[in-house]
Amino acid sequence: MARLPKRRRIGRGERMNAVWWLVCALLYVPVGVVFKLRYRGVDRVPERGGAIMVINHVSHVDPVLITRFVIDAGRVPRFLAKESIFRVPVVGAVVRALRQVPVRRGTADAQQALVTAAEAVRAGQFVVLHPEGTVTRDPQWWPMAGKSGAARLALLVPDAPVIPVGQWGVQEQFDLYHKRVRLIPRPRHAISVGEPVDLSEFRDAPPTPETLRAMTDLIMRAIRDQVAELRGEPAPTGEFFHWRRPE
């Protein structure tokens, strides 16, 4: 897959604050050195205006790779991330300075995170989230069943495009579940952007469990289709893999 021209140039792209420039100075070049990144469909990322990007989760290094991709696309990512990340020394301070959105799953605060994210989208920001909520546990590394957060956010900002993105590659060398990390050969990773998901049939629909599940499955299928193209094989049919955290 050939690398497409980047949009990020000095003086171009969405404006970054001082902390973002510091992160770029420390991480941007090293990420490009360690990983061989390839992009497809960068032109499908809107250059301006509020949008929601949904992407599958294949590795614990995803946030770094996705951040680089979004910056290359000329946008500044605002992630919905697990609240536990904000409690990690140093890392927590950095993600707060970057104005990322903490999510406390299973609590009333989770809804507040969506309200904050919706306000960000309305303000023209680029919100990024993993609908699966964690690195996939599907035996074949396909996207799992998604949680309802992306669907709920889409209902709050129905005019914002929901952009499905698939990624594939780095999980073969960065698999912390099995304590496997290899830098040689140089890890290859591909990211593919699809057309916005058509959720028009759900516009103004109440957030019932049935509506949220139908929307979530539609979003996850769009992501899975992008992953299938990167893998060069047909996407699975039938229900998504459901994983439950051990009690």
Side-chain angles (χ1 to χ4, degrees), residues 57-202:
H57 207 341
V58 296
S59 169
H60 291 85
V61 298
D62 284 358
V64 176
L65 302 179
I66 296 167
T67 295
R68 161 119 189 192
F69 164 71
V70 174
I71 289 174
D72 281 342
R75 301 303 305 263
V76 177
R78 193 164 184 189
F79 286 89
L80 268 73
K82 292 186 292 186
E83 187 271 340
S84 59
I85 295 174
F86 291 74
R87 291 187 270 109
V88 177
V90 181
V91 174
V94 172
V95 295
R96 282 192 293 272
L98 295 175
R99 300 183 65 227
Q100 307 306 294
V101 182
V103 179
R104 292 185 178 181
R105 296 180 191 142
T107 71
D109 291 341
Q111 182 60 37
Q112 181 55 48
L114 291 176
V115 171
T116 301
E119 292 172 351
V121 173
R122 294 190 192 102
Q125 297 178 23
F126 195 77
V127 171
V128 180
L129 69 160
H130 294 287
E132 297 161 281
T134 190
V135 175
T136 184
R137 300 299 184 94
D138 181 272
Q140 302 301 320
W141 291 89
W142 289 102
M144 300 187 295
K147 300 184 184 300
S148 64
R152 292 179 185 275
L153 180 56
L155 287 175
L156 291 174
V157 281
D159 293 326
V162 177
I163 305 167
V165 178
Q167 60 173 334
W168 185 252
V170 77
Q171 76 287 339
E172 297 177 0
Q173 291 174 242
F174 279 80
D175 181 4
L176 296 189
Y177 288 148
H178 298 96
K179 298 181 173 59
R180 182 173 63 208
V181 176
R182 292 186 291 112
L183 293 177
I184 300 174
R186 186 181 177 200
R188 295 172 175 264
H189 196 64
I191 296 176
S192 178
V193 185
E195 296 287 352
V197 184
D198 183 2
L199 298 172
S200 58
E201 64 178 292
F202 303 103

